[in-house]
Amino acid sequence: LAVAVPLGSARWTEGSPDRLASRRLALAGLVALVAMLVIGPDLHTRSGLWGGLDARERAEVAAILDAIPPDASVTATWSLTPHLSHRREIYTSPNPFRESYWGAEHLPPLPDPSTVEYLAIDTRNFSGPEDPMPDVMLRPEYETVVDGETFKLLRRR
């Protein structure tokens, strides 16, 4: 609506006297702004920064984000990946432990999984018995940094 209403109103005002066109355009802009604020996306959700999570879960996520160095290589479940995506190496689980490109024909090639330093995991996001992350979490090469009930962070020893 924030884009469509002003564009539509520009067509709507074609051929109108300048004063009427200005009023219609201003009204359309106001409607678009109100619609965006009421039903549009927020930078923060209406429930807070971590909408849909209770206080315990928000604390777990905050602890995970604080514990991962900015230059670390991370694989994370889909719900945590956007919050870690500013780094040079970030993989959406199960990458790179099992290639999964969701239709991209195995391109580009993934690095060696032994280069991943951290695993940021939302245990609610395991995709079933074929998901390698529960097994990877049990490997002795990883130590638990944040052991939350829902979110976990493991670091390569």
Side-chain angles (χ1 to χ4, degrees):
L1 287 174
V3 174
V5 169
L7 290 177
S9 66
R11 290 189 69 176
W12 182 40
T13 59
E14 288 176 1
S16 298
D18 288 337
R19 189 173 186 163
L20 182 59
S22 296
R23 286 183 179 174
R24 285 182 177 175
L25 192 55
L27 178 63
L30 180 64
V31 169
L33 178 64
V34 169
M36 185 178 70
L37 292 173
V38 173
I39 62 173
D42 290 332
L43 293 176
H44 296 290
T45 66
R46 287 176 176 77
S47 304
L49 180 59
W50 304 106
L53 300 179
D54 61 31
R56 176 192 50 80
E57 292 169 331
R58 286 192 300 272
E60 291 174 10
V61 171
I64 286 172
L65 298 180
D66 289 343
I68 302 174
D71 59 344
S73 174
V74 181
T75 187
T77 49
W78 68 269
S79 60
L80 294 172
T81 303
H83 307 289
L84 298 164
S85 63
H86 59 281
R87 59 199 63 247
R88 186 172 177 92
E89 291 186 15
I90 179 74
Y91 306 98
T92 301
S93 175
N95 290 333
F97 297 98
R98 186 194 65 192
E99 286 189 17
S100 183
Y101 286 106
W102 302 281
E105 305 284 335
H106 302 289
L107 295 173
L110 287 173
D112 182 357
S114 67
T115 63
V116 172
E117 301 168 80
Y118 286 87
L119 308 175
I121 300 164
D122 180 345
T123 58
R124 301 171 300 179
N125 292 146
F126 293 143
S127 61
E130 71 279 353
D131 192 327
M133 291 311 288
D135 293 332
V136 171
M137 290 172 54
L138 297 175
R139 293 180 186 171
E141 66 199 79
Y142 290 100
E143 65 179 328
T144 302
V145 177
V146 175
D147 191 14
E149 190 176 317
T150 305
F151 297 94
K152 299 184 183 302
L153 177 67
L154 289 83
R155 175 179 56 216
R156 187 177 298 279
R157 293 182 195 271

